[in-house]
Amino acid sequence: MNSNDIFGPSNPILMKKLVAYFCVCLFFLGATSFQPKDDWTNLLDKKLSKWEIYQSFRHKLGYKGEAPKDENGNLIKPIGYNINQDNVFSVIEEEGKPVLHIDGDIYGCLFTKQDFGNYDLKLKVKWGDKKYVPRVKEPKDSGVLYHSQGECGVEYWRTWMLSQEFQVTEAGMGDYWSQASSREDVKAVERGNDYFFDKDGTLTPFGSGTGNGGFCHAGVDAENKNGWNELELITYGDKSIRIVNGKVVMALSNSRYVVNGIEKPLISGKIQLQSEAAEVFYKDIKIKSISAMPAEYAQYFK
């Protein structure tokens, strides 16, 4: 049989079917190649495979930054790295998805194995019922620490890395805390003895050695008091935007830290999630790289 008998003019019906088949294949290949890609990377799984653990101490009432000692006056060693004492960090399942449970009983953190810079980070958080000494009478507290570098245990609570803190606390989600020698600039206004973010405020430095303390309140309390809260951190270069439940609560710039009196940029690093004397849950933790600060937030840095 000659090939022309199959594919040539002598068999036009088969030729039409083949042409139609290839057109359909090309359509689906083209449609697939032009579909928008999901650039988000999930950071949470059942095995916490993208995280490491650090635990320091069960801090007591009256702690003032000094190294903890036992009843005989001997220094107490921190629990250390990748020891999950009393299962403070665990993963449960909710509607078929992993949820991080942080009991809070011991001060510590999860921190990413990978360093990140220039990214959009999203996660959801809600409170549990438990609170522990030394914060039994204080608001529930946790935090997302970013641009984290170096060893754990270098700040006031002898627990966390040099970093910038996106505060997670009752009635204060998005507040700024400096960790160790970090500094950032925030447009702020003074109300009483406190500073609050205000996009029309005066650019004010915060952190060790700035003369303004290491804390600034978010511009608005956007917390959902019952249930899940969606947090978003967008950071590019030395600038960052904090969003709580869709509302911008703070913009920060000139992220830096101090070594021997010299300021250096602090624009990338690991991400830490704090265990700080309160039960808390996190889920839907995801991150993606960005190539610029989104245009809609440029107004905050003018």
Side-chain angles (χ1 to χ4, degrees), residues 164-194:
Q164 309 288 14
E165 179 171 354
F166 183 136
Q167 173 78 313
V168 178
T169 190
E170 292 178 304
M173 289 193 178
D175 292 350
Y176 171 72
W177 274 107
S178 163
Q179 293 293 349
S181 68
S182 66
R183 296 176 180 177
E184 291 218 64
D185 296 342
V186 179
K187 289 182 179 179
V189 294
E190 287 188 77
R191 299 175 191 164
N193 296 321
D194 293 328

Side-chain angles (χ1 to χ4, degrees), residues 238-250:
D238 68 349
K239 297 176 176 59
S240 59
I241 291 284
R242 300 178 179 189
I243 302 170
V244 177
N245 294 321
K247 296 181 180 180
V248 174
V249 299
M250 187 173 290

Side-chain angles (χ1 to χ4, degrees), residues 5-287:
D5 293 335
I6 300 175
F7 298 106
S10 61
N11 201 337
I13 295 176
L14 181 57
M15 178 60 73
K16 288 180 180 179
K17 288 183 177 180
L18 287 171
V19 170
Y21 172 77
F22 283 116
C23 286
V24 170
C25 288
L26 288 171
F27 171 80
F28 281 109
L29 285 172
T32 301
S33 64
F34 286 105
Q35 285 179 347
K37 295 180 179 179
D38 184 359
D39 294 327
W40 292 96
T41 297
N42 290 319
L43 294 179
L44 183 62
D45 58 33
K46 294 180 181 179
K47 296 182 179 180
L48 293 174
S49 64
K50 297 179 181 180
W51 302 82
E52 296 190 65
I53 294 171
Y54 183 80
Q55 292 181 312
S56 60
F57 309 98
R58 283 185 172 90
H59 283 298
K60 298 180 180 180
L61 287 173
Y63 177 79
K64 295 181 179 180
E66 297 178 355
K69 296 180 180 179
D70 63 20
E71 58 186 12
N72 296 318
N74 299 314
L75 290 175
I76 300 173
K77 292 183 179 180
I79 295 167
Y81 289 95
N82 294 318
I83 302 171
N84 191 12
Q85 186 170 306
D86 291 344
N87 203 34
V88 167
F89 302 98
S90 62
V91 178
I92 61 176
E93 190 174 286
E94 182 180 274
E95 297 180 351
K97 294 183 178 181
V99 175
L100 171 63
H101 174 226
I102 301 178
D103 181 79
D105 184 23
I106 301 171
Y107 274 58
C109 65
L110 285 182
F111 61 92
T112 57
K113 296 177 180 179
Q114 183 177 343
D115 287 2
F116 297 96
N118 298 332
Y119 57 83
D120 188 343
L121 173 70
K122 290 184 178 181
L123 64 166
K124 294 178 181 177
V125 61
K126 74 172 182 179
W127 300 112
D129 297 323
K130 301 175 185 177
K131 292 200 292 186
Y132 297 94
V133 173
R135 297 188 57 85
V136 173
K137 297 182 180 181
E138 302 293 330
K140 293 172 185 172
D141 201 358
S142 182
V144 179
L145 311 186
Y146 58 101
H147 299 344
S148 307
Q149 298 186 5
E151 296 295 316
C152 293
V154 297
E155 41 54 72
Y156 178 82
W157 291 99
R158 298 173 181 267
T159 302
W160 301 299
M161 302 176 197
L162 163 71
S163 55
Q164 309 288 14
E165 179 171 354
F166 183 136
Q167 173 78 313
V168 178
T169 190
E170 292 178 304
M173 289 193 178
D175 292 350
Y176 171 72
W177 274 107
S178 163
Q179 293 293 349
S181 68
S182 66
R183 296 176 180 177
E184 291 218 64
D185 296 342
V186 179
K187 289 182 179 179
V189 294
E190 287 188 77
R191 299 175 191 164
N193 296 321
D194 293 328
Y195 287 95
F196 292 78
F197 166 72
D198 187 313
K199 65 182 180 64
D200 298 317
T202 301
L203 193 64
T204 305
F206 292 97
S208 174
T210 63
N212 300 312
F215 174 72
C216 182
H217 289 278
V220 61
D221 177 9
E223 180 189 5
N224 173 20
K225 308 303 179 185
N226 299 293
W228 290 101
N229 291 270
E230 184 167 354
L231 311 182
E232 184 171 8
L233 170 67
I234 302 173
T235 179
Y236 185 79
D238 68 349
K239 297 176 176 59
S240 59
I241 291 284
R242 300 178 179 189
I243 302 170
V244 177
N245 294 321
K247 296 181 180 180
V248 174
V249 299
M250 187 173 290
L252 308 96
S253 60
N254 196 17
S255 178
R256 60 205 188 275
Y257 69 108
V258 181
V259 179
N260 297 324
I262 300 174
E263 291 188 338
K264 297 185 177 183
L266 186 59
I267 59 175
S268 65
K270 302 181 189 302
I271 297 166
Q272 304 174 79
L273 300 177
Q274 291 178 316
S275 172
E276 194 173 359
E279 184 182 29
V280 64
F281 298 86
Y282 289 94
K283 70 175 183 178
D284 296 343
I285 308 172
K286 58 185 181 179
I287 194 168

